[in-house]
Amino acid sequence: MVDTICAISSATGEAGIGIVRMSGPLSIEIAEKIFRSKRNISLTDIKNRFLSYGHIVDGNRVIDEVLIVKMLKPYTYTREDLVEIYCHGGIISVRKILNLIIDKGARLAEKGEFTKRAFLNGRLDLSQAEAVIDLIKAKTDSSYEQSVKQLEGRLTGLISLIREKIMAMISLIVANIDFPEDEIVEAQYESLLEDAFEVKDDLFKLISGSDRGRLIRDGINTVILGKPNVGKSSLLNAMLKYERAIVTDIPGTTRDIIEDYINLDGILLKITDTAGIRETDDKVEQIGVERAKKSIEDADLIIALLDPSQPFNDDDREIIKLLDNKKALILLNKSDLKRKVSDEEIKDLLKDKKYMSVSILDGSIEEIENKIVEMFFQGQIVGKEDFYVNNLRHVRALKGAYSSMESVIDGIKRQEFLDLIEVDLRQALNELGLITGETSTEDILDKVFKEFCIGK
Ligand code: GDP
């Protein structure tokens, strides 16, 4: 028999309500043992999906006053019998109820196990399950909207269209292998080639949108560079202050996450090098060119700060050198002060690189933020209807399928045996199946669900 699992599904900490959830064949039976309804009706007799008021009890001892709901399979999140208990928030009550449930025969759920069951029982495909975690972790409206679309099955739909096209090609091939009439085959090669190009095109479109998708989901990996005293901390603090003003009225938002992420009008900046935030008072901090080099390897954006109110030096030159072939925003800060470098010196340092003159202290923040938005999304973040593949695992599978389709096209052009072409087509199908989970291995599932929190 499948285990019955349980977990605290609400966030830890003080809160109005805490939720304990149970899923599996023993859920109702266990809940029955620990719940006393106010009106003395047994849980079995309480209607499906109706909230009921009462107490959780351990023998004669009352643990908490609760609302409880049973949801009978198959129309539940996990497709199994499910019970949810709404008790008082905080740490103790939920834990006591959880322990009691474990005593009665359930086991603590692993990370993401409820959603994993939803997947294994066919309620969601793997990409939808991944959307659940993205939805929980979303930090901007656009990343949230992208995950809602993925959860609704947008990606599933796109993938299944492509799979159908490949399947149709395979049927054609199978039919031709059975009736190997030369002239039919000749004509079919042409039609296969057309279909193969179409599939490759579809895949290309999905892959090429994925950079944008990743930026929306994970944020723009940003590194701020500049020698000491040019205004790095001032820039960070100014952007963070703006962010804090927005998020402080959202209850339950944790500070430490915010400090790594800045939400610019719906665009997420992920500041990877937060040294600037933590060492605001450390004026002797050296640039550490080596460290800088390392952090910019994975950067999507480098913000390089210069201070032309002081003469440029070798540190500045080193930094500018690091920007070659990188997406960079060069800021000449402190424009409110008198310049100590000439136009020639600027040109000599920056060559043809574009820059912006700003004063971080004197109100340039908005202008800087607008520039970043423009650099990445041409000023427009995401259309309401747009959907972008945003998950690295999906992109990898799409690229795998793409390269199989290249082999298919190659094979058709060389009029290879049809069954060889079929092998590549099946490989493409296989890759696409990794996205939806049809061809996923236990390994992949483990990795995906490890990302979840317990209780989801
Ligand atoms: P960091 O060492 O690069 O992090 O630089 P800080 O952000 O600590 O700034 C160094 C000094 O420059 C501080 O005294 C800031 O107040 C000052 N500063 C930063 N931006 C500006 C600016 O736009 N104008 C002027 N006048 N001073 C600035």
Side-chain angles (χ1 to χ4, degrees):
M1 189 165 68
V2 187
D3 287 350
T4 296
I5 54 172
C6 61
I8 299 169
S9 282
S10 47
T12 41
E14 286 178 24
I17 294 170
I19 303 173
V20 181
R21 176 145 80 159
M22 222 185 328
S23 175
L26 296 180
S27 302
I28 315 279
E29 194 183 314
I30 292 174
E32 186 88 65
K33 287 183 190 154
I34 61 168
F35 177 68
R36 294 263 176 291
S37 104
K38 184 78 182 169
R39 291 188 297 145
N40 228 355
I41 308 172
S42 103
L43 194 64
T44 316
D45 297 331
I46 292 170
K47 269 197 188 164
N48 189 24
R49 293 162 177 277
F50 269 60
L51 267 186
S52 171
Y53 169 74
H55 292 92
I56 295 296
V57 293
D58 183 4
N60 289 327
R61 202 157 56 93
V62 171
I63 305 285
D64 199 359
E65 180 189 25
V66 301
L67 288 171
I68 195 168
V69 63
K70 72 169 184 199
M71 292 172 257
L72 297 176
K73 66 176 185 183
Y75 300 113
T76 64
Y77 185 66
T78 52
R79 291 279 195 259
E80 302 175 331
D81 284 345
L82 214 140
V83 171
E84 280 180 11
I85 299 168
Y86 308 97
C87 60
H88 287 107
I91 309 164
I92 306 297
S93 176
V94 278
R95 283 224 188 122
K96 281 195 189 265
I97 295 173
L98 186 73
N99 286 335
L100 195 58
I101 290 173
I102 292 171
D103 278 351
K104 305 288 178 205
R107 76 160 162 80
L108 192 62
E110 287 162 20
K111 284 179 168 185
E113 198 171 359
F114 290 92
T115 312
K116 187 175 185 180
R117 289 185 174 195
F119 162 71
L120 292 174
N121 294 329
R123 183 181 174 275
L124 301 165
D125 77 9
L126 195 57
S127 75
Q128 288 172 310
E130 287 169 303
V132 171
I133 181 77
D134 287 349
L135 190 77
I136 293 172
K137 291 189 174 171
K139 292 179 188 65
T140 61
D141 284 353
S142 11
S143 57
Y144 163 80
E145 273 165 23
Q146 291 290 303
S147 20
V148 169
K149 289 194 186 111
Q150 190 167 319
L151 183 57
E152 280 174 346
R154 249 327 234 292
L155 183 59
T156 315
L158 292 168
I159 298 295
S160 78
L161 278 180
I162 300 177
R163 284 175 63 112
E164 273 163 28
K165 287 183 193 174
I166 299 177
M167 238 103 85
M169 291 174 73
I170 293 177
S171 317
L172 204 70
I173 286 179
V174 173
N176 273 308
I177 291 173
D178 290 347
F179 308 100
E181 298 266 339
D182 282 354
E183 61 278 22
I184 300 176
V185 172
E186 189 69 39
Q188 299 301 15
Y189 271 120
E190 256 173 56
S191 128
L192 276 176
L193 189 63
E194 212 171 282
D195 296 343
F197 272 120
E198 198 181 314
V199 170
K200 196 178 107 168
D201 246 29
D202 291 346
L203 291 169
F204 181 77
K205 277 187 203 129
L206 288 180
I207 294 167
S208 55
S210 65
D211 274 348
R212 182 177 265 223
R214 185 182 63 79
L215 293 179
I216 294 169
R217 186 181 93 140
D218 299 338
I220 299 169
N221 217 335
T222 308
V223 174
I224 301 179
L225 292 183
K227 70 184 174 193
N229 238 23
V230 288
K232 297 183 295 297
S233 318
S234 307
L235 176 64
L236 260 174
N237 289 337
M239 294 206 282
L240 283 172
K241 222 172 277 158
Y242 173 62
E243 163 71 7
R244 282 207 181 108
I246 291 178
V247 294
T248 36
D249 41 309
I250 305 172
T253 325
T254 41
R255 273 289 158 77
D256 36 332
I257 295 170
I258 296 159
E259 291 194 343
D260 290 330
Y261 289 95
I262 297 173
N263 181 348
L264 296 185
D265 263 346
I267 289 191
L268 195 64
L269 283 197
K270 183 181 175 200
I271 308 284
T272 46
D273 191 352
T274 49
I277 304 174
R278 289 179 196 133
E279 295 168 37
T280 34
D281 294 321
D282 187 2
K283 294 294 180 210
V284 290
E285 182 204 0
Q286 295 300 303
I287 326 170
V289 176
E290 278 317 307
R291 205 186 69 192
K293 270 187 191 155
K294 226 185 136 5
S295 64
I296 66 173
E297 261 166 35
D298 304 324
D300 300 307
L301 169 68
I302 299 165
I303 304 179
L305 285 170
L306 297 168
D307 175 5
S309 74
Q310 299 297 325
F312 292 147
N313 65 12
D314 285 346
D315 287 345
D316 293 311
R317 282 180 271 278
E318 281 286 349
I319 285 166
I320 297 302
K321 248 194 260 162
L322 292 176
L323 306 183
D324 286 340
N325 304 320
K326 286 279 172 186
K327 205 162 195 168
L329 176 61
I330 303 175
L331 301 177
L332 265 56
N333 189 25
K334 310 195 187 180
S335 63
D336 53 306
L337 301 179
K338 199 172 147 33
R339 261 195 196 170
K340 285 222 179 93
V341 293
S342 65
D343 287 349
E344 269 73 55
E345 282 169 294
I346 294 176
K347 188 152 178 39
D348 189 48
L349 177 68
L350 298 181
K351 309 287 183 296
D352 291 329
K353 293 187 169 73
K354 291 207 170 77
Y355 64 88
M356 259 172 96
S357 268
V358 295
S359 168
I360 292 166
L361 283 197
D362 207 12
S364 294
I365 282 297
E366 207 176 315
E367 194 189 337
I368 295 170
E369 292 178 345
N370 288 342
K371 182 72 196 171
I372 296 171
V373 175
E374 192 189 307
M375 280 173 82
F376 282 88
F377 296 93
Q378 288 79 43
Q380 203 215 348
I381 307 165
V382 222
K384 274 261 175 271
E385 281 314 306
D386 296 343
F387 174 77
Y388 301 100
V389 175
N390 56 33
N391 177 314
L392 226 89
R393 199 182 72 75
H394 301 170
V395 177
R396 235 178 276 133
L398 286 170
K399 285 184 174 163
Y402 183 86
S403 101
S404 300
M405 288 313 294
E406 284 185 320
S407 310
V408 169
I409 289 172
D410 236 38
I412 299 173
K413 282 183 177 161
R414 283 190 274 113
Q415 304 217 338
E416 259 174 16
F417 288 124
L418 287 176
D419 42 4
L420 287 179
I421 296 170
E422 186 190 341
V423 170
D424 286 324
L425 283 170
R426 291 212 181 269
Q427 178 57 26
L429 270 188
N430 210 46
E431 294 279 356
L432 294 178
L434 292 176
I435 298 176
T436 45
E438 275 149 79
T439 49
S440 292
T441 56
E442 196 53 39
D443 261 28
I444 295 177
L445 297 187
D446 279 354
K447 253 191 220 131
V448 166
F449 289 102
K450 258 217 315 266
E451 294 290 309
F452 277 67
C453 34
I454 287 184
K456 188 67 216 175

